Amino acid sequence: MEEKEISRAVIKRLPRYYRYLGELLESGTERISSGELSERMQVTASQIRQDLNNFGGFGQQGYGYNVKHLHTEIGKILGLDQDYNMIIIGAGNLGQALANYVKFEKNGFLVKGLFDVNPKLKGVAVRGIVIRMTDELPAFLQEHDIQIAALTLPKQYAKEMADFLVDHGIRAIWNFAHTDLHLPEDVIIENVHLSESLMQLSYNISRYSREHK
Amino acid sequence: MEEKEISRAVIKRLPRYYRYLGELLESGTERISSGELSERMQVTASQIRQDLNNFGGFGQQGYGYNVKHLHTEIGKILGLDQDYNMIIIGAGNLGQALANYVKFEKNGFLVKGLFDVNPKLKGVAVRGIVIRMTDELPAFLQEHDIQIAALTLPKQYAKEMADFLVDHGIRAIWNFAHTDLHLPEDVIIENVHLSESLMQLSYNISRYSREHK
DNA sequence: TAGATTGTTAATCGATTAACAATC
DNA sequence: TAGATTGTTAATCGATTAACAATC
C-alpha cells in the first residue's frame, strides 16, 4: 500500500515545475526537453529528470516531455485534480487577505468559512464569506466537509485551536501562527512563518554588509 | 574579507532557535544544554552544536549555553540588532495585512511606505501609513533610506517593479509575487510563495488518501 | 538511419549524526 | 575531583550531478 517515499526536497520543487509548465502551456509550447527547462528554471537537467522519474516516466527519448501532459500529471501528483474545502481561523488582516486571494480558488482551494472570536467582526462579509464566531465551529464542521484549516490567529491560541480542530476531524493545517504545533502524526501541517522568512532576509543583508565593510 | 560560507540549511534553522531561546528567556530559564534544547525542538543535539559552532563557541563545557547570551548572539547573526526600513509595493489585502502586522516592527522591520497604482487607494491610511501612488516612488526613495521592499503585487508587474527598485538602490526584496525574479546577484531575494506552500499541503493530503485507500 | 534526449546507474558532494577528547 | 556537556573530528546518510546505455 505504501508508495516509495519521496523526499521533501523533491516535493518542494514540484509546485515550481508546475508553475513553469503552466506558463509554457499558456505560451503555446508543445514540448520541452529537460535541457531547455533546466535553462529556464536555473536547475540542472539531471535534477529535473531525477525528480520526474520518482513518479514514473513522463518523457520520451529523443523527444522530451509533452508540456500539457506533464503539467496535468504533476497537477495530479500535487493533488490539484480535486477540490479542497478550507476554513480560515482568525479573521484579522492576514485571514481576510487569504480569504480574498482568488488565486487559491482557481487551484481548487475553496474558502468555505471564516472564523474569529471578536464579536465586532460577526456577520462581516469578506468576498461573500460571512465571518462567524468560533463557537459555531463544531456545528459548522458537522455540516460541512472541510479538509483544510488555515490558522491565522495569535500564537497563544494556536495550539488549543489546532487540538480542537483535530478533535473535530480536521486532518490538514496551514499554520501561519508563529509556533510549532504538536499534533498526531496523521495530521498534515504546513507552516508559513513570515517572521522567519524576514529574518533570513535580514541575515543576508547584514552578512552582505559585513563582507563588504 | 569573505567569511566562511554558511549553508542555507543552517540559516533556515536560525530563526527557529531564536524563537525557542526567546521563549526560554521569557520563562526565566537561565541556561540550557544542547540535549535539552534538542528535546524541545525535536532536532538532534548534534545538529544544534554543529549549527552554533559555525559562528563560534557560544557554550561552555559542563554547563551548556547561557540562554540570554545565545539569544542575543543569534539575534546579531540574524541582523536583528539593527532596524530596517521597509516599503510595501502593492496595497491590496496582503500588502495591507503586512503593513498591519505589528510583530515585524518589534523585530526592527519598520514599514515606512505603502504604494499602489490604484487611485482609489490614494491617501488611505493603514496603521497611520498613508498609501502613495507608485509614481511617487523615485522621490520617496531619494528622501528615505529604505533597505527592504516587499512585493505584494500581481506577478505580471513584479519583474518590472523589481528592476525599477533595484535601479533606484533597493538591495533586498521580499517577494510575494508568484514569479521568479532575475536580478543582479548582489540583490538579496527572499521568496514567499503561498500557493506553493498550499500545494505541498495538498500533495500530502492526496498522498495520504492514496496510501490509505 | 542518425540525432536527440530520456531513464537510470554510478560518482560526487554536502548535510546530518555519532563519537569522543577536551575542558569547564 | 567527578560529572556534565561542549566543540570537533569521523562516519553515515541522503541528495545532487555526471555519465551513458537505451530508445524514440
Side-chain angles (χ1 to χ4, degrees), chain B residues 82-150:
Chain B
Q82 57 173 290
D83 284 346
Y84 298 91
N85 292 331
M86 180 158 79
I87 54 172
I88 297 170
I89 317 286
N93 292 288
L94 188 55
Q96 293 198 24
L98 293 183
N100 265 303
Y101 207 16
V102 185
K103 198 162 163 219
F104 299 147
E105 305 263 330
K106 250 183 25 198
N107 280 321
F109 299 94
L110 313 174
V111 180
K112 295 292 183 180
L114 196 47
F115 293 85
D116 207 292
V117 290
N118 183 351
K120 283 186 197 158
L121 291 172
K122 186 170 183 169
V124 173
V126 178
R127 202 166 54 85
I129 305 152
V130 175
I131 299 177
R132 292 180 173 83
M133 296 294 97
T134 48
D135 55 22
E136 300 173 46
L137 262 172
F140 187 91
L141 289 172
Q142 202 127 54
E143 275 167 46
H144 298 78
D145 186 28
I146 303 295
Q147 286 87 42
I148 301 174

Side-chain angles (χ1 to χ4, degrees), chain A residues 104-145:
Chain A
F104 299 148
E105 305 263 329
K106 252 183 23 201
N107 279 322
F109 298 95
L110 314 174
V111 180
K112 294 293 184 179
L114 197 47
F115 293 85
D116 207 293
V117 290
N118 183 350
K120 284 186 197 156
L121 290 171
K122 186 170 183 168
V124 173
V126 178
R127 202 167 55 84
I129 305 153
V130 176
I131 299 177
R132 291 180 173 82
M133 296 294 97
T134 49
D135 56 21
E136 299 172 47
L137 262 172
F140 186 91
L141 289 172
Q142 201 128 54
E143 275 166 45
H144 299 78
D145 186 27

Side-chain angles (χ1 to χ4, degrees), chain B:
Chain B
M1 195 78 68
E2 189 93 9
E3 298 176 10
K4 183 179 55 170
E5 190 71 38
I6 309 292
S7 84
R8 259 191 89 76
V10 173
I11 295 154
K12 269 195 82 160
R13 284 192 291 268
L14 289 181
R16 191 155 174 266
Y17 291 134
Y18 188 74
R19 169 156 55 92
Y20 272 82
L21 289 164
E23 285 169 9
L24 285 166
L25 198 58
E26 270 179 38
S27 78
T29 311
E30 231 173 69
R31 67 189 184 97
I32 192 148
S33 67
S34 59
E36 205 188 324
L37 192 56
S38 91
E39 255 179 59
R40 285 175 188 260
M41 296 187 62
Q42 307 273 42
V43 296
T44 63
S46 203
Q47 181 165 76
I48 292 173
R49 294 204 298 278
Q50 283 279 21
D51 283 354
L52 298 180
N53 270 81
N54 280 299
F55 306 98
F58 298 130
Q60 195 170 74
Q61 280 100 328
Y63 172 88
Y65 300 88
N66 178 285
V67 172
K68 186 167 184 186
H69 178 242
L70 188 55
H71 183 257
T72 308
E73 289 303 315
I74 294 182
K76 280 189 209 163
I77 293 164
L78 288 169
L80 302 178
D81 54 343
Q82 57 173 290
D83 284 346
Y84 298 91
N85 292 331
M86 180 158 79
I87 54 172
I88 297 170
I89 317 286
N93 292 288
L94 188 55
Q96 293 198 24
L98 293 183
N100 265 303
Y101 207 16
V102 185
K103 198 162 163 219
F104 299 147
E105 305 263 330
K106 250 183 25 198
N107 280 321
F109 299 94
L110 313 174
V111 180
K112 295 292 183 180
L114 196 47
F115 293 85
D116 207 292
V117 290
N118 183 351
K120 283 186 197 158
L121 291 172
K122 186 170 183 169
V124 173
V126 178
R127 202 166 54 85
I129 305 152
V130 175
I131 299 177
R132 292 180 173 83
M133 296 294 97
T134 48
D135 55 22
E136 300 173 46
L137 262 172
F140 187 91
L141 289 172
Q142 202 127 54
E143 275 167 46
H144 298 78
D145 186 28
I146 303 295
Q147 286 87 42
I148 301 174
L151 295 188
T152 50
L153 37 65
K155 68 171 174 205
Q156 55 270 34
Y157 310 119
K159 277 171 216 257
E160 198 190 347
M161 178 53 75
D163 290 338
F164 173 87
L165 290 167
V166 169
D167 279 349
H168 287 75
I170 295 289
R171 281 291 166 275
I173 291 182
W174 199 22
N175 178 40
F176 287 78
H178 199 209
T179 189
D180 296 323
L181 302 173
H182 300 284
L183 298 171
E185 62 165 313
D186 66 331
V187 178
I188 296 149
I189 304 174
E190 173 72 25
N191 291 304
V192 179
H193 290 328
L194 294 181
S195 16
E196 300 193 357
S197 166
L198 203 41
M199 287 180 193
Q200 287 178 65
L201 193 61
S202 63
Y203 168 84
N204 283 303
I205 296 173
S206 70
R207 179 184 56 90
Y208 187 86
S209 44
R210 271 198 301 277
E211 282 172 11
H212 292 78
K213 214 169 9 208

